Each structure stands twice: as structure tokens, then as C-alpha cells.
Amino acid sequence: MSMEMKTPAFGNLQGLKVVYSAVEIAGPEAAQMMAEWGADVTWIENTFNGDSMRDTTYVKELERRNQKSLSLNIFSEEGREVFLKLIETADIFIESSKGPAFAKRGLTDELLWEHNKSLVIVHVSGFGHTGVPDRVNRAAYDQTAQAFSGYLAQNGTEEQPMIASPYTGDYFTSLMVVGSSLAALYKAQKTGVGESIDVAMYEVMLRMGAYYMMDYLNGGILYPRAGARHQNLCGIGVYKCKDGFLSLCLYGAKQNKALLDRIGLGYLWGTEEYPEGTTALWLDGPKAELIEQKLEEYLLTQPVDEVEEDFSNCKIAANKVMTFEELPEHPHFKAREAFIEWETMEGKKCKGPNIFPKFKNNPGQVWRPMPTLGMDTKTILTDLGYSSEEIHELKEKGIIKMS
Ligand code: COA
């Protein structure tokens, strides 16, 4: 693995230049995925503490691998100049703030386009850049977006809404940042004109959480929070087995017949209540309560590995709920090299997920561990045309930081 500055040539995003100013997950993770698919990614960090992600022990090593760290006070007069020069070299710029922080400080989209007409700009915020002013400028983390969007209200038990963990709102946002910025880039490359994208985390979660909302919006239907089970179908949810938990997604005629046979209710199949060919066993169906009761009783007597295999053989989607301890040992994880090991800047071994998805012709790679704070500042400024003296002066003034 290389500690070198120059991004090696690999991946589908080879040659793409991404610059970002954001902390934690939502914005940075989008850049991270692009870095894993070959893009050249510059991570702008503040000059005081750097990205708060640095406070974590291990996850930062995963979420900032392949990146370059530039520690720069963007909002100082000279820092702004450096920033604008950097922007001239970028294809995509991602920032995440409490509302339109860049525009408020004079760094408007229009100014950035004056420096780079085809730049794709992505603004990540909790609530978007327009709307109710008081809301627009609020801080937001994953949970905030889950709470405001109706996503959080759907998860948990009837008594208690629960967060969809870990950091679902952040990671979903980053996926939407990747998708929307590459969509805009596709257009920008044809027209030479850039784009500005207003990614409100709550809207990401609204869109991702709209499945049951459609029943409410159009049919006035509200389901109780389902907890570990499904809102309206039998045989879907997490069930307790003899020695573990099974995730079961029962659907389809063949599958229903096989399951009913196993739980001693085979006689229901082919009746008026459950005619052959029934694909969905609705929770408001005639024998739903009995089916659920017999299924629970049956599964409690079954070792989870055995029932997983048996159900899978009947084409029922069933999987043991795997624990962290089991993952690295599983033959399928091993066969697909789901986990890899790389070396951190301190020379320590770090284990984590491989690069996904697997591209056949232009695979991603890990070529560099997470850089230390400001590690690439000097090289980046040199590339932008700053002399050693100028770099030294900016450092003395606290506009940049190096390590
Ligand atoms: N140079 C100069 N100033 C910088 C800077 C840089 N390179 N990077 C950040 N700053 C400034 C910010 O503008 C901000 O100034 P302000 O407080 O006067 O507005 C300050 O430093 C701190 O910024 P930030 O890093 O955003 O930290 P925060 O603790 O104030 O807020 C969030 C953190 C995540 C709550 C906020 O950024 C936010 O709501 N982001 C949008 C949604 C989001 O991404 N949430 C996190 C999901 S993981």
C-alpha cells in the first residue's frame, strides 16, 4: 500500500476530482465511496481540531481511507483564495453545514461557478437551504433527520419509537449524494454547465421511508409500529429459534405451502380460506393468528442453522441473524473476501469491509490509509502553484495546518 500522494490509476472514477468540506458521515461517506472507486478525493478539515470523525478509534480508518487531508481555514481571506484555486481543479465539491453557511460567507454557487463553470456542487444539510428560516439553519445528525422525516416514527415497538441504527440517515444521505452528484456530472460533462444540489437529510429519509406512507397518503391507512414483525403479513420478521434468531421473509405460493406443512397446518392449503396459489398470508387473513402461533412454536423447537437450511431449500428467504463474531468466520464471507486488512499511517493493522460493490472490469482498491490531519496540505498547495515561502507564511498565520 502506498503512502504516496498521487492517486494511482484504477476504478471507474479514475481522473475524477472530488473536494469536500464536511464532518462525520453524511457528506464524507459519499466522497469515501468515490475514493474507493478511483476518484482523487481531497478532504478539507478545519485548522482547529480537524474533522470530529478523528475522535473515533477505528471507524475513521475505514471512512477516510484513500483520501488526502488539507487543513485550511476556508473562511479567512487568504484561505478563501486557496479554496477557490482548489475548486478550479475540481469536478465535484461537497459541503455539509448548518444551512447555507458557504453562501452566508460569500462563497455562493455563482462565485464558485465563476471559477469553475462546470463544477457540480452538493450542499448537505439537515433541512435544506430553503423553507422555514429557523429550521434551515439548525444542526442535524442522523437521528434528527430520522425524527423529522417520519422515518423514526415507523421503527420500534408500539410503545416506543426506535432509531434505525447505525446512522442510517447519514449513510442513506451519502448514497444519495453519490447518485445525484454523478447524475449532475453526466449532464455537466455534456453541456459544460455545472449544477448545485440541495440535499436535505430529512428529505432523503422521507423518500427512503415512504413505503407505508403511501398507504396513509392515499388510503388513510396507518399501521401500528411492527417491532420485530411485519406490519401486515404473516411469516415476516425476526423469530426466536432454539439457539438463535431467524430472519424470515415468507412470500409466494410454493413457499406458503411448504411452511404450512412444516408447522402442522398443511390442511389449510387448498381450502376456501387459503386457496392454492395464495401468495401472501395477510395478518388480517382468516387463520393469521393461528399461523403465527404455530410458526412461533415450531421455530422455538428448531436449531436456527437447520431451519435456515430447510427453509432455504424450499425457496423461502430465511437467514440466521448473524452476530459480529460469526461474520468473519463464515465461509461465504471468506470466499468473497468480505473483509480485508490494511495498514494505518502508524503501521498498525486495521480490519474492515472490502470495497463494494465488486466491479468486474475496473475494480476499486485501497491504496492509502487515512491521512493524518493536514498531511497533504503542502503537496496540494504546491500543486496549486504556491511557493514554499508562501506556504510557510500561510502556516505561520494559521490559515493552513500541516503534519
Ligand atoms: N474553515 C473554516 N471554518 C470551518 C471549516 C473550515 N475548513 N470547516 C468548518 N468550519 C466552520 C463551520 O462553518 C462552523 O462555523 P459556525 O459554527 O460559525 O457555523 C464551524 O466551523 C463548525 O462547523 P461544523 O464542522 O459543521 O461543526 P458543528 O459542530 O457546528 O456542526 C453538524 C456539525 C454535523 C451538526 C453540522 O455540520 C450540520 O448540521 N451539517 C449538516 C448535516 C450533516 O451533515 N450532519 C451530520 C451527518 S453525519
Side-chain angles (χ1 to χ4, degrees):
M1 191 178 302
S2 166
M3 307 280 166
E4 289 297 310
M5 174 65 199
K6 211 168 143 27
T7 306
F10 72 94
N12 284 291
L13 296 183
Q14 181 189 328
L16 180 76
K17 181 143 185 191
V18 179
V19 172
Y20 80 91
S21 165
V23 296
E24 296 289 336
I25 302 165
E29 177 64 15
Q32 179 57 33
M33 270 180 258
M34 294 195 259
E36 295 184 359
W37 305 341
D40 177 294
V41 171
T42 299
W43 166 26
I44 306 181
E45 297 190 77
N46 68 53
T47 45
F48 29 106
N49 298 318
D51 184 343
S52 49
M53 183 57 118
R54 288 195 182 272
D55 295 340
T56 66
T57 310
Y58 299 111
V59 66
K60 62 186 175 188
E61 296 292 347
L62 170 67
E63 305 299 18
R64 301 294 185 271
R65 57 191 183 185
N66 283 6
Q67 301 196 12
K68 297 169 185 173
S69 168
L70 163 66
S71 184
L72 169 73
N73 182 345
I74 300 178
F75 303 119
S76 61
E77 214 181 297
E78 288 144 301
R80 176 191 161 105
E81 238 173 75
V82 176
F83 172 71
L84 289 170
K85 273 202 182 127
L86 181 65
I87 281 305
E88 284 169 16
T89 69
D91 299 297
I92 297 174
F93 170 60
I94 304 164
E95 67 88 13
S96 122
S97 319
K98 303 178 285 285
F102 275 69
K104 261 192 231 157
R105 287 157 162 144
L107 288 168
T108 59
D109 292 341
E110 287 66 29
L111 179 68
L112 301 198
W113 285 326
E114 270 174 36
H115 287 261
N116 182 347
K117 195 171 158 233
S118 60
L119 183 69
V120 171
I121 305 164
V122 189
H123 298 290
V124 179
S125 63
F127 304 98
H129 281 194
T130 59
V132 176
D134 158 56
R135 172 100 18 214
V136 161
N137 297 304
R138 290 191 194 179
Y141 288 97
D142 156 51
Q143 260 197 57
T144 332
Q146 289 199 33
F148 190 61
S149 61
Y151 201 92
L152 212 161
Q154 300 180 56
N155 290 296
T157 62
E158 273 193 57
E159 304 73 45
Q160 167 76 62
M162 290 176 191
I163 302 136
S165 188
Y167 310 109
T168 309
D170 295 332
Y171 285 101
F172 269 145
T173 299
S174 58
L175 290 171
M176 208 180 255
V177 170
V178 172
S180 61
S181 61
L182 293 180
L185 189 78
Y186 176 72
K187 184 84 171 178
Q189 286 185 339
K190 285 183 174 177
T191 61
V193 180
E195 178 63 281
S196 168
I197 310 171
D198 181 2
V199 180
M201 286 180 65
Y202 95 89
E203 285 165 0
V204 172
M205 294 315 278
L206 177 67
R207 181 65 182 85
M208 297 295 120
Y211 193 103
Y212 295 108
M213 211 176 286
M214 290 301 286
D215 288 353
Y216 171 69
L217 293 173
N218 298 285
I221 305 163
L222 283 171
Y223 302 103
R225 263 190 299 278
R229 298 290 161 79
H230 195 262
Q231 278 82 346
N232 48 21
L233 284 162
C234 292
I236 302 190
V238 181
Y239 291 81
K240 198 164 186 199
C241 294
K242 202 173 169 183
D243 55 353
F245 288 95
L246 183 77
S247 154
L248 183 60
C249 282
L250 180 68
Y251 198 83
K254 246 191 323 203
Q255 291 81 350
N256 292 339
K257 180 176 181 338
L259 186 117
L260 290 174
D261 279 344
R262 275 160 181 73
I263 63 175
L265 297 179
Y267 64 88
L268 289 178
W269 196 250
T271 62
E272 220 169 89
E273 291 179 326
Y274 291 98
E276 277 186 32
T278 303
T279 51
L281 303 181
W282 298 103
L283 273 180
D284 59 2
K287 294 285 186 301
E289 222 172 288
L290 178 67
I291 295 171
E292 280 297 293
Q293 184 206 326
K294 292 286 182 195
L295 176 59
E296 282 180 10
E297 284 170 12
Y298 173 76
L299 289 174
L300 277 173
T301 66
Q302 301 297 308
V304 68
D305 285 316
E306 285 176 26
V307 79
E308 177 192 298
E309 196 181 334
D310 178 41
F311 281 10
S312 300
N313 288 338
C314 303
K315 313 246 184 297
I316 297 173
N319 209 99
K320 172 186 190 175
V321 177
M322 300 277 283
T323 61
F324 283 179
E325 294 97 318
E326 289 166 326
L327 302 181
E329 301 312 319
H330 195 284
H332 192 66
F333 277 68
K334 284 188 176 163
R336 287 182 63 86
E337 293 181 83
F339 291 115
I340 53 166
E341 234 178 45
W342 66 95
E343 204 169 273
T344 67
M345 281 293 173
E346 295 86 45
K348 291 185 190 145
K349 288 261 179 258
C350 183
K351 241 184 254 168
N354 205 336
I355 292 175
F356 303 126
K358 292 177 187 289
F359 296 95
K360 187 182 259 181
N361 294 331
N362 300 286
Q365 58 173 266
V366 180
W367 63 276
R368 189 190 206 215
M370 179 192 77
T372 55
L373 175 60
M375 182 176 168
D376 304 296
T377 302
K378 191 171 179 199
T379 323
I380 291 171
L381 265 73
T382 307
D383 283 352
L384 292 176
Y386 286 85
S387 68
S388 301
E389 294 71 38
E390 285 168 326
I391 293 172
H392 181 74
E393 210 183 308
L394 287 170
K395 184 178 170 234
E396 291 301 298
K397 287 182 181 166
I399 310 284
I400 56 170
K401 199 169 173 175
M402 298 190 253
S403 62

